[in-house]
Amino acid sequence: MKLNDLLNQTSEWLKGSGPKSDIVISSRIRFARNLVKAPFSDWATKDQKKDALSMIKKAMESAGFLKDYTFFDMAELSEIDRQFLVERHLMSLEHARNPEYKALVVDNSEIISIMINEEDHLRIQVLKSGFNLTEAWRIINKIDGKINKKLEYAYSSKWGYLTACPTNTGTAMRASVMLHLPALVLTKQVGKVLETVAKLSLAIRGLYGEGTEAAGNFFQISNQVTLGRAEEDIIGNIESIINQVIAREANARHVLMTQDKDTLSDKTWRAYGTLKSAHMITSDETMRLLSIVRLGVDLGVIKDIDIKSINSLFILTQPAHLQKFEGKASPSNERDVVRARLIRERLKK
Amino acid sequence: MLCDVCGKNEATVHLTEIVNDKVTKLNLCETCAREKSAKMEEHFGLGELLAGLGDFGDVAELPKKAVKIKCSNCGLTYSDFRRTGRLGCSECYTAFQSKLEPLLKRIHGSDQHVGKTPSMKQTKVVTEPVSKLQEMKAKLKRAIDTEEFEEAAKIRDEIRELEKKDEKKDKEKKEK
């Protein structure tokens, strides 16, 4: 598969399927793994990185753990292509920087992706649509075992999997869930809910991870503690907290629908109208309006478009996706025109 | 030598600062060093903050001993870790064990792993000696990363010397 083929398929996590997909966009589990004794990527020399890369690549090929997958050498990709992979949540922003001797392995359905030579030698990720951490855990556990048969991991019985940053040591697992919480934002309850979540030592971030704002009312909640708790334990803990957040959002939606349906209908249809007719639109406005439309579709206020198409638009309107669609790099004001046109075309169908 | 700041106590901490390519050397006593480090902490990066969790407070008390602990596998010093919050290799966990234990406990509330274990049998490999040249190159990279250019220039010259020696050896081998 070529990178451009990804343009024509919907990312797994945007399919809008899976449990509770009206509120939960996606579930993700990531493992960090390192080679024994080889310097971690941040400190490694070029030769050492090169050695690590070829060793991992060889091990993966012989492990035969993936049927259809594509190997991307970061240094061979353009900046836009790398940004494109970040926008699809197949790799981190960090991985797009300093591309030398970094690589990405993606299974062609975009559920599994493996970063090589990011902060750790291996970052294995499984991304599923909807609220489905259990399934993500089952998949990643299997892949991890297969790779480990060919590759010895840095591990100590005291401290578990050894990572470049001590905040990941132990299970080296980060489980995160992406939530869409427009009703909690509209009813101004979100601050309180997230405050409580933060107290339970879970981290909250925006759509694109660390340092990004909660654009489009998306919130990513993940575990922070990785040492002293088993994987299933960590996952169970997150699941029970997320379930409560979901219940709060559902309740807020119900309140909006029963107490002030006209205002809600007006808001969602106006947002839909703007998206369908604007000739220039920024990324920020797009996110904001799409979020309201998504709420309208979930609540059955807007019936002539499905959730998958709305989900896709969140990603298709990101800068690198737009530029790949256009087939050329464009300055941001031109991009606003291109973005508006793409949205109009997509919503016409 | 007396402290540059108070001029009263014996200087035991020797600090080299490079700001805008200007090198300043400061000789401080413990008290002034602690004050200085408190000021520096205001500009803390994440790495410092993180590493600081492990031994907050005794930075000034243990400047030489603690900072100079070094991983024999990759050559990373504890101060490199303190500065960046990133360890150098899996063996750093053994080299800095006494420092990492309290740090991990503070971050995670535990210092004993529970959960998944590797499926491959772990082999205990004897540490292979890292070649001198490799070690020097890693040192050079670190010096450049931290903008210690004077140090970097020194290391660069040493590397050149080493490479010359290696070339000579190779030539001699070929001639034989």
PDB file of all heavy atoms in Angstrom, chain A residues 201-236:
ATOM      1  N   SER A 201      -5.912  10.829  39.190  1.00  0.00           N
ATOM      2  CA  SER A 201      -4.620  10.654  38.506  1.00  0.00           C
ATOM      3  C   SER A 201      -4.743  10.127  37.075  1.00  0.00           C
ATOM      4  O   SER A 201      -3.957   9.312  36.629  1.00  0.00           O
ATOM      5  CB  SER A 201      -3.639   9.818  39.330  1.00  0.00           C
ATOM      6  OG  SER A 201      -4.015   8.475  39.391  1.00  0.00           O
ATOM      7  N   LEU A 202      -5.730  10.668  36.367  1.00  0.00           N
ATOM      8  CA  LEU A 202      -5.788  10.434  34.928  1.00  0.00           C
ATOM      9  C   LEU A 202      -5.417  11.746  34.240  1.00  0.00           C
ATOM     10  O   LEU A 202      -5.652  12.821  34.776  1.00  0.00           O
ATOM     11  CB  LEU A 202      -7.196  10.012  34.499  1.00  0.00           C
ATOM     12  CG  LEU A 202      -7.708   8.682  35.041  1.00  0.00           C
ATOM     13  CD1 LEU A 202      -9.077   8.365  34.456  1.00  0.00           C
ATOM     14  CD2 LEU A 202      -6.745   7.545  34.717  1.00  0.00           C
ATOM     15  N   ALA A 203      -4.816  11.652  33.047  1.00  0.00           N
ATOM     16  CA  ALA A 203      -4.420  12.860  32.321  1.00  0.00           C
ATOM     17  C   ALA A 203      -5.474  13.215  31.283  1.00  0.00           C
ATOM     18  O   ALA A 203      -6.119  12.330  30.714  1.00  0.00           O
ATOM     19  CB  ALA A 203      -3.083  12.632  31.645  1.00  0.00           C
ATOM     20  N   ILE A 204      -5.667  14.518  31.044  1.00  0.00           N
ATOM     21  CA  ILE A 204      -6.634  14.968  30.042  1.00  0.00           C
ATOM     22  C   ILE A 204      -5.918  15.816  29.009  1.00  0.00           C
ATOM     23  O   ILE A 204      -5.182  16.738  29.359  1.00  0.00           O
ATOM     24  CB  ILE A 204      -7.746  15.803  30.696  1.00  0.00           C
ATOM     25  CG1 ILE A 204      -8.410  14.992  31.798  1.00  0.00           C
ATOM     26  CG2 ILE A 204      -8.776  16.240  29.653  1.00  0.00           C
ATOM     27  CD1 ILE A 204      -9.026  15.857  32.864  1.00  0.00           C
ATOM     28  N   ARG A 205      -6.129  15.494  27.760  1.00  0.00           N
ATOM     29  CA  ARG A 205      -5.488  16.258  26.688  1.00  0.00           C
ATOM     30  C   ARG A 205      -6.484  16.516  25.564  1.00  0.00           C
ATOM     31  O   ARG A 205      -7.600  16.029  25.607  1.00  0.00           O
ATOM     32  CB  ARG A 205      -4.303  15.484  26.103  1.00  0.00           C
ATOM     33  CG  ARG A 205      -3.245  15.129  27.100  1.00  0.00           C
ATOM     34  CD  ARG A 205      -2.027  14.603  26.389  1.00  0.00           C
ATOM     35  NE  ARG A 205      -0.991  14.269  27.342  1.00  0.00           N
ATOM     36  CZ  ARG A 205      -0.830  13.071  27.885  1.00  0.00           C
ATOM     37  NH1 ARG A 205      -1.655  12.096  27.552  1.00  0.00           N
ATOM     38  NH2 ARG A 205       0.128  12.843  28.724  1.00  0.00           N
ATOM     39  N   GLY A 206      -6.029  17.276  24.544  1.00  0.00           N
ATOM     40  CA  GLY A 206      -6.892  17.566  23.405  1.00  0.00           C
ATOM     41  C   GLY A 206      -6.768  16.511  22.319  1.00  0.00           C
ATOM     42  O   GLY A 206      -6.189  15.448  22.531  1.00  0.00           O
ATOM     43  N   LEU A 207      -7.294  16.824  21.141  1.00  0.00           N
ATOM     44  CA  LEU A 207      -7.374  15.869  20.029  1.00  0.00           C
ATOM     45  C   LEU A 207      -6.011  15.359  19.594  1.00  0.00           C
ATOM     46  O   LEU A 207      -5.859  14.204  19.235  1.00  0.00           O
ATOM     47  CB  LEU A 207      -8.090  16.529  18.832  1.00  0.00           C
ATOM     48  CG  LEU A 207      -8.352  15.683  17.594  1.00  0.00           C
ATOM     49  CD1 LEU A 207      -9.238  14.496  17.919  1.00  0.00           C
ATOM     50  CD2 LEU A 207      -9.008  16.515  16.500  1.00  0.00           C
ATOM     51  N   TYR A 208      -5.004  16.237  19.580  1.00  0.00           N
ATOM     52  CA  TYR A 208      -3.687  15.806  19.129  1.00  0.00           C
ATOM     53  C   TYR A 208      -2.686  15.686  20.260  1.00  0.00           C
ATOM     54  O   TYR A 208      -1.517  15.987  20.113  1.00  0.00           O
ATOM     55  CB  TYR A 208      -3.190  16.687  17.984  1.00  0.00           C
ATOM     56  CG  TYR A 208      -3.890  16.301  16.721  1.00  0.00           C
ATOM     57  CD1 TYR A 208      -4.972  17.021  16.239  1.00  0.00           C
ATOM     58  CD2 TYR A 208      -3.520  15.145  16.050  1.00  0.00           C
ATOM     59  CE1 TYR A 208      -5.658  16.616  15.108  1.00  0.00           C
ATOM     60  CE2 TYR A 208      -4.197  14.722  14.920  1.00  0.00           C
ATOM     61  CZ  TYR A 208      -5.260  15.465  14.455  1.00  0.00           C
ATOM     62  OH  TYR A 208      -5.920  15.030  13.343  1.00  0.00           O
ATOM     63  N   GLY A 209      -3.151  15.258  21.417  1.00  0.00           N
ATOM     64  CA  GLY A 209      -2.247  14.927  22.504  1.00  0.00           C
ATOM     65  C   GLY A 209      -1.675  16.115  23.233  1.00  0.00           C
ATOM     66  O   GLY A 209      -2.278  17.187  23.240  1.00  0.00           O
ATOM     67  N   GLU A 210      -0.515  15.889  23.793  1.00  0.00           N
ATOM     68  CA  GLU A 210       0.105  16.851  24.676  1.00  0.00           C
ATOM     69  C   GLU A 210       0.105  18.267  24.117  1.00  0.00           C
ATOM     70  O   GLU A 210       0.479  18.501  22.981  1.00  0.00           O
ATOM     71  CB  GLU A 210       1.548  16.428  24.940  1.00  0.00           C
ATOM     72  CG  GLU A 210       1.801  16.131  26.392  1.00  0.00           C
ATOM     73  CD  GLU A 210       2.974  15.193  26.554  1.00  0.00           C
ATOM     74  OE1 GLU A 210       2.842  14.011  26.194  1.00  0.00           O
ATOM     75  OE2 GLU A 210       3.988  15.670  27.037  1.00  0.00           O
ATOM     76  N   GLY A 211      -0.329  19.209  24.921  1.00  0.00           N
ATOM     77  CA  GLY A 211      -0.215  20.603  24.535  1.00  0.00           C
ATOM     78  C   GLY A 211      -1.301  21.097  23.591  1.00  0.00           C
ATOM     79  O   GLY A 211      -1.352  22.262  23.260  1.00  0.00           O
ATOM     80  N   THR A 212      -2.188  20.203  23.120  1.00  0.00           N
ATOM     81  CA  THR A 212      -3.242  20.691  22.232  1.00  0.00           C
ATOM     82  C   THR A 212      -4.503  20.989  23.042  1.00  0.00           C
ATOM     83  O   THR A 212      -4.801  20.328  24.013  1.00  0.00           O
ATOM     84  CB  THR A 212      -3.597  19.672  21.123  1.00  0.00           C
ATOM     85  OG1 THR A 212      -4.080  18.487  21.730  1.00  0.00           O
ATOM     86  CG2 THR A 212      -2.398  19.378  20.256  1.00  0.00           C
ATOM     87  N   GLU A 213      -5.200  22.013  22.617  1.00  0.00           N
ATOM     88  CA  GLU A 213      -6.411  22.394  23.330  1.00  0.00           C
ATOM     89  C   GLU A 213      -7.547  21.445  22.966  1.00  0.00           C
ATOM     90  O   GLU A 213      -7.466  20.691  22.022  1.00  0.00           O
ATOM     91  CB  GLU A 213      -6.788  23.810  22.912  1.00  0.00           C
ATOM     92  CG  GLU A 213      -5.634  24.762  23.083  1.00  0.00           C
ATOM     93  CD  GLU A 213      -6.058  25.981  23.863  1.00  0.00           C
ATOM     94  OE1 GLU A 213      -7.167  26.465  23.621  1.00  0.00           O
ATOM     95  OE2 GLU A 213      -5.274  26.410  24.713  1.00  0.00           O
ATOM     96  N   ALA A 214      -8.581  21.517  23.747  1.00  0.00           N
ATOM     97  CA  ALA A 214      -9.702  20.627  23.502  1.00  0.00           C
ATOM     98  C   ALA A 214     -10.557  21.159  22.347  1.00  0.00           C
ATOM     99  O   ALA A 214     -11.724  21.480  22.517  1.00  0.00           O
ATOM    100  CB  ALA A 214     -10.529  20.475  24.764  1.00  0.00           C
ATOM    101  N   ALA A 215      -9.943  21.254  21.154  1.00  0.00           N
ATOM    102  CA  ALA A 215     -10.662  21.761  19.994  1.00  0.00           C
ATOM    103  C   ALA A 215     -11.792  20.812  19.632  1.00  0.00           C
ATOM    104  O   ALA A 215     -11.653  19.604  19.750  1.00  0.00           O
ATOM    105  CB  ALA A 215      -9.693  21.909  18.824  1.00  0.00           C
ATOM    106  N   GLY A 216     -12.911  21.374  19.197  1.00  0.00           N
ATOM    107  CA  GLY A 216     -14.037  20.550  18.778  1.00  0.00           C
ATOM    108  C   GLY A 216     -14.662  19.757  19.908  1.00  0.00           C
ATOM    109  O   GLY A 216     -15.308  18.745  19.683  1.00  0.00           O
ATOM    110  N   ASN A 217     -14.444  20.199  21.144  1.00  0.00           N
ATOM    111  CA  ASN A 217     -14.985  19.508  22.325  1.00  0.00           C
ATOM    112  C   ASN A 217     -14.526  18.064  22.465  1.00  0.00           C
ATOM    113  O   ASN A 217     -15.240  17.217  22.991  1.00  0.00           O
ATOM    114  CB  ASN A 217     -16.528  19.562  22.334  1.00  0.00           C
ATOM    115  CG  ASN A 217     -17.037  20.985  22.298  1.00  0.00           C
ATOM    116  OD1 ASN A 217     -16.473  21.863  22.955  1.00  0.00           O
ATOM    117  ND2 ASN A 217     -18.085  21.217  21.523  1.00  0.00           N
ATOM    118  N   PHE A 218     -13.319  17.801  21.947  1.00  0.00           N
ATOM    119  CA  PHE A 218     -12.746  16.458  22.093  1.00  0.00           C
ATOM    120  C   PHE A 218     -11.821  16.430  23.297  1.00  0.00           C
ATOM    121  O   PHE A 218     -11.007  17.339  23.484  1.00  0.00           O
ATOM    122  CB  PHE A 218     -11.948  16.066  20.850  1.00  0.00           C
ATOM    123  CG  PHE A 218     -12.812  15.789  19.666  1.00  0.00           C
ATOM    124  CD1 PHE A 218     -12.802  16.630  18.564  1.00  0.00           C
ATOM    125  CD2 PHE A 218     -13.645  14.681  19.650  1.00  0.00           C
ATOM    126  CE1 PHE A 218     -13.614  16.379  17.474  1.00  0.00           C
ATOM    127  CE2 PHE A 218     -14.461  14.427  18.568  1.00  0.00           C
ATOM    128  CZ  PHE A 218     -14.444  15.271  17.471  1.00  0.00           C
ATOM    129  N   PHE A 219     -11.942  15.397  24.084  1.00  0.00           N
ATOM    130  CA  PHE A 219     -11.090  15.260  25.258  1.00  0.00           C
ATOM    131  C   PHE A 219     -10.513  13.850  25.281  1.00  0.00           C
ATOM    132  O   PHE A 219     -11.239  12.876  25.105  1.00  0.00           O
ATOM    133  CB  PHE A 219     -11.889  15.513  26.539  1.00  0.00           C
ATOM    134  CG  PHE A 219     -12.457  16.904  26.610  1.00  0.00           C
ATOM    135  CD1 PHE A 219     -13.701  17.186  26.063  1.00  0.00           C
ATOM    136  CD2 PHE A 219     -11.731  17.930  27.188  1.00  0.00           C
ATOM    137  CE1 PHE A 219     -14.227  18.478  26.100  1.00  0.00           C
ATOM    138  CE2 PHE A 219     -12.240  19.223  27.242  1.00  0.00           C
ATOM    139  CZ  PHE A 219     -13.498  19.499  26.694  1.00  0.00           C
ATOM    140  N   GLN A 220      -9.201  13.803  25.498  1.00  0.00           N
ATOM    141  CA  GLN A 220      -8.537  12.515  25.546  1.00  0.00           C
ATOM    142  C   GLN A 220      -8.165  12.227  26.998  1.00  0.00           C
ATOM    143  O   GLN A 220      -7.461  13.010  27.618  1.00  0.00           O
ATOM    144  CB  GLN A 220      -7.261  12.618  24.709  1.00  0.00           C
ATOM    145  CG  GLN A 220      -6.788  11.340  24.113  1.00  0.00           C
ATOM    146  CD  GLN A 220      -5.506  11.554  23.308  1.00  0.00           C
ATOM    147  OE1 GLN A 220      -4.562  10.847  23.501  1.00  0.00           O
ATOM    148  NE2 GLN A 220      -5.469  12.531  22.423  1.00  0.00           N
ATOM    149  N   ILE A 221      -8.662  11.134  27.513  1.00  0.00           N
ATOM    150  CA  ILE A 221      -8.364  10.801  28.910  1.00  0.00           C
ATOM    151  C   ILE A 221      -7.489   9.547  28.957  1.00  0.00           C
ATOM    152  O   ILE A 221      -7.788   8.553  28.285  1.00  0.00           O
ATOM    153  CB  ILE A 221      -9.673  10.578  29.701  1.00  0.00           C
ATOM    154  CG1 ILE A 221     -10.465  11.890  29.720  1.00  0.00           C
ATOM    155  CG2 ILE A 221      -9.384  10.088  31.124  1.00  0.00           C
ATOM    156  CD1 ILE A 221     -11.764  11.830  30.482  1.00  0.00           C
ATOM    157  N   SER A 222      -6.381   9.618  29.710  1.00  0.00           N
ATOM    158  CA  SER A 222      -5.482   8.462  29.764  1.00  0.00           C
ATOM    159  C   SER A 222      -4.889   8.270  31.152  1.00  0.00           C
ATOM    160  O   SER A 222      -4.915   9.175  31.975  1.00  0.00           O
ATOM    161  CB  SER A 222      -4.357   8.635  28.744  1.00  0.00           C
ATOM    162  OG  SER A 222      -3.626   9.804  29.023  1.00  0.00           O
ATOM    163  N   ASN A 223      -4.337   7.082  31.368  1.00  0.00           N
ATOM    164  CA  ASN A 223      -3.715   6.794  32.665  1.00  0.00           C
ATOM    165  C   ASN A 223      -2.351   7.467  32.758  1.00  0.00           C
ATOM    166  O   ASN A 223      -1.678   7.677  31.759  1.00  0.00           O
ATOM    167  CB  ASN A 223      -3.551   5.290  32.862  1.00  0.00           C
ATOM    168  CG  ASN A 223      -2.574   4.674  31.881  1.00  0.00           C
ATOM    169  OD1 ASN A 223      -2.762   4.776  30.674  1.00  0.00           O
ATOM    170  ND2 ASN A 223      -1.525   4.055  32.385  1.00  0.00           N
ATOM    171  N   GLN A 224      -1.942   7.818  33.975  1.00  0.00           N
ATOM    172  CA  GLN A 224      -0.613   8.373  34.166  1.00  0.00           C
ATOM    173  C   GLN A 224       0.305   7.391  34.860  1.00  0.00           C
ATOM    174  O   GLN A 224       1.489   7.335  34.580  1.00  0.00           O
ATOM    175  CB  GLN A 224      -0.709   9.654  34.995  1.00  0.00           C
ATOM    176  CG  GLN A 224      -1.088  10.851  34.136  1.00  0.00           C
ATOM    177  CD  GLN A 224      -1.125  12.126  34.936  1.00  0.00           C
ATOM    178  OE1 GLN A 224      -1.774  12.185  35.962  1.00  0.00           O
ATOM    179  NE2 GLN A 224      -0.440  13.137  34.470  1.00  0.00           N
ATOM    180  N   VAL A 225      -0.273   6.629  35.775  1.00  0.00           N
ATOM    181  CA  VAL A 225       0.536   5.678  36.532  1.00  0.00           C
ATOM    182  C   VAL A 225       0.790   4.429  35.697  1.00  0.00           C
ATOM    183  O   VAL A 225      -0.124   3.872  35.093  1.00  0.00           O
ATOM    184  CB  VAL A 225      -0.189   5.307  37.847  1.00  0.00           C
ATOM    185  CG1 VAL A 225       0.499   4.152  38.541  1.00  0.00           C
ATOM    186  CG2 VAL A 225      -0.241   6.518  38.761  1.00  0.00           C
ATOM    187  N   THR A 226       2.064   4.012  35.640  1.00  0.00           N
ATOM    188  CA  THR A 226       2.385   2.805  34.878  1.00  0.00           C
ATOM    189  C   THR A 226       3.092   1.754  35.729  1.00  0.00           C
ATOM    190  O   THR A 226       3.316   0.644  35.274  1.00  0.00           O
ATOM    191  CB  THR A 226       3.288   3.141  33.669  1.00  0.00           C
ATOM    192  OG1 THR A 226       4.420   3.879  34.136  1.00  0.00           O
ATOM    193  CG2 THR A 226       2.551   3.958  32.635  1.00  0.00           C
ATOM    194  N   LEU A 227       3.474   2.120  36.938  1.00  0.00           N
ATOM    195  CA  LEU A 227       4.223   1.180  37.771  1.00  0.00           C
ATOM    196  C   LEU A 227       3.415   0.774  39.002  1.00  0.00           C
ATOM    197  O   LEU A 227       2.837   1.633  39.668  1.00  0.00           O
ATOM    198  CB  LEU A 227       5.548   1.828  38.202  1.00  0.00           C
ATOM    199  CG  LEU A 227       6.562   0.959  38.944  1.00  0.00           C
ATOM    200  CD1 LEU A 227       7.040  -0.199  38.085  1.00  0.00           C
ATOM    201  CD2 LEU A 227       7.764   1.783  39.396  1.00  0.00           C
ATOM    202  N   GLY A 228       3.375  -0.538  39.252  1.00  0.00           N
ATOM    203  CA  GLY A 228       2.696  -1.013  40.464  1.00  0.00           C
ATOM    204  C   GLY A 228       1.265  -1.448  40.223  1.00  0.00           C
ATOM    205  O   GLY A 228       0.589  -1.906  41.140  1.00  0.00           O
ATOM    206  N   ARG A 229       0.780  -1.292  38.994  1.00  0.00           N
ATOM    207  CA  ARG A 229      -0.574  -1.760  38.682  1.00  0.00           C
ATOM    208  C   ARG A 229      -0.534  -2.554  37.385  1.00  0.00           C
ATOM    209  O   ARG A 229       0.076  -2.125  36.411  1.00  0.00           O
ATOM    210  CB  ARG A 229      -1.536  -0.571  38.515  1.00  0.00           C
ATOM    211  CG  ARG A 229      -1.671   0.256  39.774  1.00  0.00           C
ATOM    212  CD  ARG A 229      -2.805   1.225  39.638  1.00  0.00           C
ATOM    213  NE  ARG A 229      -4.088   0.567  39.827  1.00  0.00           N
ATOM    214  CZ  ARG A 229      -5.201   1.226  40.117  1.00  0.00           C
ATOM    215  NH1 ARG A 229      -5.198   2.533  40.207  1.00  0.00           N
ATOM    216  NH2 ARG A 229      -6.332   0.580  40.294  1.00  0.00           N
ATOM    217  N   ALA A 230      -1.208  -3.684  37.384  1.00  0.00           N
ATOM    218  CA  ALA A 230      -1.218  -4.526  36.190  1.00  0.00           C
ATOM    219  C   ALA A 230      -2.064  -3.872  35.098  1.00  0.00           C
ATOM    220  O   ALA A 230      -2.935  -3.055  35.377  1.00  0.00           O
ATOM    221  CB  ALA A 230      -1.763  -5.901  36.535  1.00  0.00           C
ATOM    222  N   GLU A 231      -1.800  -4.262  33.862  1.00  0.00           N
ATOM    223  CA  GLU A 231      -2.470  -3.666  32.706  1.00  0.00           C
ATOM    224  C   GLU A 231      -3.993  -3.738  32.817  1.00  0.00           C
ATOM    225  O   GLU A 231      -4.688  -2.735  32.609  1.00  0.00           O
ATOM    226  CB  GLU A 231      -2.025  -4.359  31.405  1.00  0.00           C
ATOM    227  CG  GLU A 231      -0.594  -4.063  30.977  1.00  0.00           C
ATOM    228  CD  GLU A 231       0.433  -4.987  31.629  1.00  0.00           C
ATOM    229  OE1 GLU A 231       0.053  -5.751  32.545  1.00  0.00           O
ATOM    230  OE2 GLU A 231       1.611  -4.931  31.237  1.00  0.00           O
ATOM    231  N   GLU A 232      -4.511  -4.928  33.141  1.00  0.00           N
ATOM    232  CA  GLU A 232      -5.968  -5.090  33.208  1.00  0.00           C
ATOM    233  C   GLU A 232      -6.578  -4.188  34.285  1.00  0.00           C
ATOM    234  O   GLU A 232      -7.683  -3.695  34.143  1.00  0.00           O
ATOM    235  CB  GLU A 232      -6.357  -6.547  33.517  1.00  0.00           C
ATOM    236  CG  GLU A 232      -6.185  -7.497  32.350  1.00  0.00           C
ATOM    237  CD  GLU A 232      -4.882  -8.255  32.442  1.00  0.00           C
ATOM    238  OE1 GLU A 232      -3.919  -7.714  33.036  1.00  0.00           O
ATOM    239  OE2 GLU A 232      -4.815  -9.386  31.914  1.00  0.00           O
ATOM    240  N   ASP A 233      -5.794  -4.004  35.337  1.00  0.00           N
ATOM    241  CA  ASP A 233      -6.201  -3.151  36.446  1.00  0.00           C
ATOM    242  C   ASP A 233      -6.334  -1.699  36.002  1.00  0.00           C
ATOM    243  O   ASP A 233      -7.328  -1.017  36.285  1.00  0.00           O
ATOM    244  CB  ASP A 233      -5.081  -3.234  37.496  1.00  0.00           C
ATOM    245  CG  ASP A 233      -5.630  -3.391  38.876  1.00  0.00           C
ATOM    246  OD1 ASP A 233      -6.765  -3.857  38.983  1.00  0.00           O
ATOM    247  OD2 ASP A 233      -4.911  -3.040  39.831  1.00  0.00           O
ATOM    248  N   ILE A 234      -5.306  -1.245  35.302  1.00  0.00           N
ATOM    249  CA  ILE A 234      -5.282   0.129  34.796  1.00  0.00           C
ATOM    250  C   ILE A 234      -6.459   0.342  33.846  1.00  0.00           C
ATOM    251  O   ILE A 234      -7.174   1.343  33.929  1.00  0.00           O
ATOM    252  CB  ILE A 234      -3.943   0.420  34.066  1.00  0.00           C
ATOM    253  CG1 ILE A 234      -2.768   0.339  35.052  1.00  0.00           C
ATOM    254  CG2 ILE A 234      -3.975   1.783  33.375  1.00  0.00           C
ATOM    255  CD1 ILE A 234      -1.392   0.412  34.418  1.00  0.00           C
ATOM    256  N   ILE A 235      -6.660  -0.637  32.956  1.00  0.00           N
ATOM    257  CA  ILE A 235      -7.740  -0.525  31.979  1.00  0.00           C
ATOM    258  C   ILE A 235      -9.103  -0.510  32.681  1.00  0.00           C
ATOM    259  O   ILE A 235      -9.965   0.320  32.374  1.00  0.00           O
ATOM    260  CB  ILE A 235      -7.665  -1.674  30.941  1.00  0.00           C
ATOM    261  CG1 ILE A 235      -6.425  -1.476  30.058  1.00  0.00           C
ATOM    262  CG2 ILE A 235      -8.922  -1.733  30.075  1.00  0.00           C
ATOM    263  CD1 ILE A 235      -6.077  -2.662  29.193  1.00  0.00           C
ATOM    264  N   GLY A 236      -9.271  -1.404  33.654  1.00  0.00           N
ATOM    265  CA  GLY A 236     -10.535  -1.467  34.398  1.00  0.00           C
ATOM    266  C   GLY A 236     -10.837  -0.153  35.091  1.00  0.00           C
ATOM    267  O   GLY A 236     -11.978   0.327  35.087  1.00  0.00           O
TER     268      GLY A 236
END
